Amino acid sequence: MRIVITGEKGFLGIHLTNYLRHILKYEVVELGRNFIEVLPNTKEIDWLIHGACVHRHNNPEMVLHLNNEITNQTIECLKKNNINCNVAFLSSIHEDAETFYGKSKREAKKQFENFCLERNTNFVSYKLPNVFGQYAKPNKTSFIATFSYNLLNNLPVECNSNLVKLAFVTDVVEMVCKFEEQEIISRAITVEEVYLLLIEYNKLFNNSIFPTFRDKFEFDLYQTFISYKNYKI
């Protein structure tokens, strides 16, 4: 199977590429950041996993504008070059929210779905929760990455009691790479609860004590935490 991923250099893209290439043994085509320019040279694609998007901007309205631009350019490129592929769209649980980011996800999802309907190809969409794990960038990609890095480097942590839905990146990747419509399983927990767990892991780690885990989520959280021990920003 031949797979193309937009945004393959990002946090989730790196994990998707590694899993598809090294575990499933599929061919993954590298597009890079200027994927619109490279995509026309890529023929006979089985699946396009579309993950490229803008998450935030100093001007919130630009999130909608830039993401619409990415969507329009990608679909126009596929049409112009007669690339009729299946599409797996990486959406977000925020797609139902009345935010510029949420609106951009709704609009992009509809456009890619229409593209597949016109060409009689398969379309699947995944509403991703907050994804955490190794390679997420502190102060950018994941608050868990930020907390872990800061605790391990004796830096201050700003915490709140907001409720979030979390999913471990390996679990997300396995679901996405089945290319079947399904709900991404997540864990509802407050930011403060995560912070308290990470504080405990930091204390145990500094004393060379391995934690006792109550469930898989805590094990995954610990794996993520220790991955930032030697992380360089």
Side-chain angles (χ1 to χ4, degrees):
M1 190 178 290
R2 202 160 191 248
I3 313 291
V4 163
I5 306 170
T6 66
E8 87 273 10
K9 300 300 182 183
F11 164 51
L12 187 55
I14 291 172
H15 285 275
L16 283 167
T17 299
N18 288 339
Y19 186 80
L20 287 163
R21 178 176 288 162
H22 301 297
I23 303 300
L24 299 182
K25 307 301 181 183
Y26 293 157
E27 179 184 359
V28 180
V29 181
E30 300 276 351
L31 293 180
R33 289 188 178 275
N34 299 320
F35 67 90
I36 297 296
E37 299 175 12
V38 181
L39 192 56
N41 302 319
T42 307
K43 304 295 182 180
E44 298 179 0
I45 302 169
D46 292 296
W47 280 92
L48 166 68
I49 302 177
H50 185 64
C53 72
V54 176
H55 294 274
R56 56 184 66 85
H57 194 279
N58 291 334
N59 179 358
E61 290 187 29
M62 286 299 295
V63 172
L64 176 60
H65 172 74
L66 292 172
N67 282 333
N68 284 347
E69 193 173 68
I70 291 172
T71 300
N72 293 334
Q73 288 180 356
T74 303
I75 292 177
E76 180 61 28
C77 180
L78 294 171
K79 290 180 177 180
K80 183 178 179 180
N81 294 279
N82 199 30
I83 302 174
N84 297 322
C85 57
N86 303 307
V87 175
F89 180 65
L90 303 183
S91 188
S92 164
I93 56 174
H94 299 290
E95 72 173 35
D96 299 322
E98 293 304 319
T99 61
F100 292 114
Y101 176 67
K103 187 176 181 180
S104 73
K105 282 296 185 183
R106 287 198 303 274
E107 293 182 359
K109 178 179 178 179
K110 188 63 178 177
Q111 288 189 59
F112 277 105
E113 186 175 15
N114 287 338
F115 167 81
C116 290
L117 284 171
E118 291 171 3
R119 280 150 183 78
N120 196 31
T121 57
N122 296 317
F123 174 81
V124 293
S125 178
Y126 301 96
K127 295 174 71 172
L128 303 182
N130 294 281
V131 183
F132 70 96
Q134 189 179 17
Y135 309 139
K137 292 183 179 180
N139 305 312
K140 184 178 181 180
T141 311
S142 162
F143 78 89
I144 291 177
T146 304
F147 286 6
S148 298
Y149 178 85
N150 286 9
L151 286 170
L152 287 164
N153 289 278
N154 298 312
L155 297 173
V157 173
E158 295 184 7
C159 182
N160 59 54
S161 57
N162 293 344
L163 183 67
V164 292
K165 290 184 177 181
L166 297 172
F168 188 50
V169 67
T170 300
D171 298 331
V172 171
V173 165
E174 288 179 357
M175 290 184 184
V176 170
C177 292
K178 291 178 180 178
F179 299 110
E180 298 173 356
E181 198 83 35
Q182 58 185 315
E183 181 181 357
I184 301 295
I185 298 172
S186 62
R187 168 74 171 269
I189 189 171
T190 67
V191 174
E192 184 179 25
E193 287 175 305
V194 172
Y195 175 54
L196 293 175
L197 282 170
L198 292 174
I199 287 178
E200 183 63 22
Y201 295 159
N202 192 41
K203 290 178 182 177
L204 294 173
F205 184 79
N206 288 333
N207 289 288
S208 301
I209 300 173
F210 194 74
T212 298
F213 307 111
R214 290 173 293 184
D215 53 30
K216 180 182 178 300
F217 171 80
E218 292 190 1
F219 177 68
D220 293 337
L221 186 64
Y222 182 73
Q223 285 188 80
T224 302
F225 170 74
I226 61 175
S227 74
Y228 289 91
K229 173 58 181 167
N230 297 310
Y231 189 93
K232 304 298 182 184
I233 292 181

